[in-house]
Amino acid sequence: MRIDLHAHSSVSDGTEPPEVVVAGARAARLDVLALTDHDSTAGWPAAEAAAAAAGITFVPGAELSCRHAGVSLHLLAYWFDPAEPALAAELARLRADRLGRTRAIVDRLAADGWPVTWPAVLARAGGAASVGRPHVADALVDAGAVADRDEAFARLLHSGSPYYVAQRALDPLRAVELVRDAGGVTVFAHPRAARRGRVVGDDVVAALAAAGLAGLEADHPDHTPADVAHLRGLAGDLGLLVTGSSDYHGAGQRAALGARRTEPEAFAALRAAAAAAARR
Ligand code: AMP
Ligand code: FE
Ligand code: FE
Ligand code: ZN
């Protein structure tokens, strides 16, 4: 069983439509694929239909924007009811805020002479439900200002940049509860991906575990072997499951689908936890 539990489509900052991501999962000989677009479930129907046709098990998911004590972090949520009102309203607020916040970043860049405009970024986002910095990066690439998304983040879009504007984000403890109340489970995405900015300490992971977090995404392209080892130990200490995923973004980032994977036992336990949450 080859299982990848974290992938993005053009519904957020991936470069391929959901059905193309699923076709890629099939080509990568995956048995299970989760679609986890940022703050949106809009890709679920197309991905689910494509997965059914391809004989792949589809896991409906999302990656929720959270912040704790000024540090941004991402929680993966799986198998929740997308129509549950409290969670759906929070996701809608997050997506709406992304528009204003991304536009503010563009305004700061343009004011400083960088060749980027809001219409160009919106065109690059191409109707994505969740707009974000990667779309600004793509517009900067189009304008010839940077070579690729990586360079755009390293030079202009990282969280310490003068052009950076923070986005609305959920308290992660509340996010764990919202997802559980919607019948789903949460996994802490890339908890030690320090190249993306500051990360939270193990004390925060412990608090999330106490609140009902189900797992830690230990195997991730942005983690060093030492990060992976540390997270596996922490998961053991806290009674959390361990997952592995590619965090695929199409042409937008390096990792291929299936480059990191989740063990079948962990996947089965995660699915059982979601089934228990759905029965509450
Ligand atoms: P945003 O959602 O607007 O805050 O942008 C965050 C997204 O940008 C992440 O989900 C990644 O896809 C991407 N990203 C974050 N850091 C980097 C980086 N250092 N290099 C390339 N892409 C990044
Ligand atoms: Fe992303
Ligand atoms: Fe993430
Ligand atoms: Zn992601």
Side-chain angles (χ1 to χ4, degrees):
M1 281 256 281
R2 290 166 56 84
I3 303 163
D4 189 341
L5 294 181
H6 187 165
H8 296 266
S9 76
S10 53
V11 161
S12 63
D13 55 7
T15 59
E16 300 163 349
E19 60 276 12
V20 176
V21 178
V22 171
R26 189 188 171 142
R29 297 183 286 95
L30 288 173
D31 302 289
V32 179
L33 175 74
L35 185 71
T36 54
D37 277 306
H38 297 282
D39 305 323
S40 175
T41 61
W44 289 9
E48 183 161 32
I56 290 174
T57 298
F58 171 65
V59 177
E63 186 171 16
L64 309 183
S65 304
C66 300
R67 186 160 49 239
H68 175 85
V71 179
S72 68
L73 58 109
H74 290 167
L75 291 185
L76 293 162
Y78 300 111
W79 291 295
F80 58 89
D81 175 1
E84 196 285 318
L87 181 54
E90 282 297 356
L91 292 178
R93 276 192 282 273
L94 291 171
R95 292 193 302 272
D97 180 76
R98 279 174 166 279
L99 282 172
R101 168 270 192 166
T102 306
R103 183 169 190 162
I105 293 175
V106 169
D107 288 346
R108 288 187 181 196
L109 286 163
D112 213 21
W114 289 95
V116 61
T117 66
W118 182 235
V121 171
L122 278 185
R124 213 56 178 73
S130 280
V131 175
R133 285 178 286 168
H135 301 117
V136 180
D138 292 343
L140 288 161
V141 172
D142 289 346
V146 293
D148 54 25
R149 282 188 177 182
D150 257 353
E151 187 188 342
F153 271 87
R155 288 178 58 193
L156 302 169
L157 299 175
H158 61 90
S159 57
S161 160
Y163 307 115
Y164 179 74
V165 178
Q167 66 174 313
R168 179 190 178 87
L170 298 173
D171 174 337
L173 288 166
R174 178 165 146 71
V176 167
E177 285 163 11
L178 276 171
V179 171
R180 187 182 45 208
D181 290 349
V185 290
T186 43
V187 170
F188 195 153
H190 47 76
R192 290 173 78 90
R195 66 181 283 272
R196 292 163 181 245
R198 286 162 65 209
V199 298
V200 297
D202 291 352
D203 55 323
V204 176
V205 179
L208 291 171
L213 182 76
L216 301 181
E217 187 183 56
D219 264 307
H220 183 280
D222 288 356
H223 286 159
T224 65
D227 291 331
V228 176
H230 178 84
L231 289 167
R232 285 183 176 275
L234 184 62
D237 291 347
L238 296 173
L240 297 172
L241 298 169
V242 166
T243 69
S245 343
S246 65
D247 202 353
Y248 181 71
H249 281 74
Q253 263 138 278
R254 294 155 308 275
L257 276 168
R260 299 286 190 285
R261 294 186 302 279
T262 297
E263 294 302 323
E265 297 73 22
F267 176 66
L270 198 61
R271 183 145 64 171
R279 281 194 300 271
R280 282 170 78 246

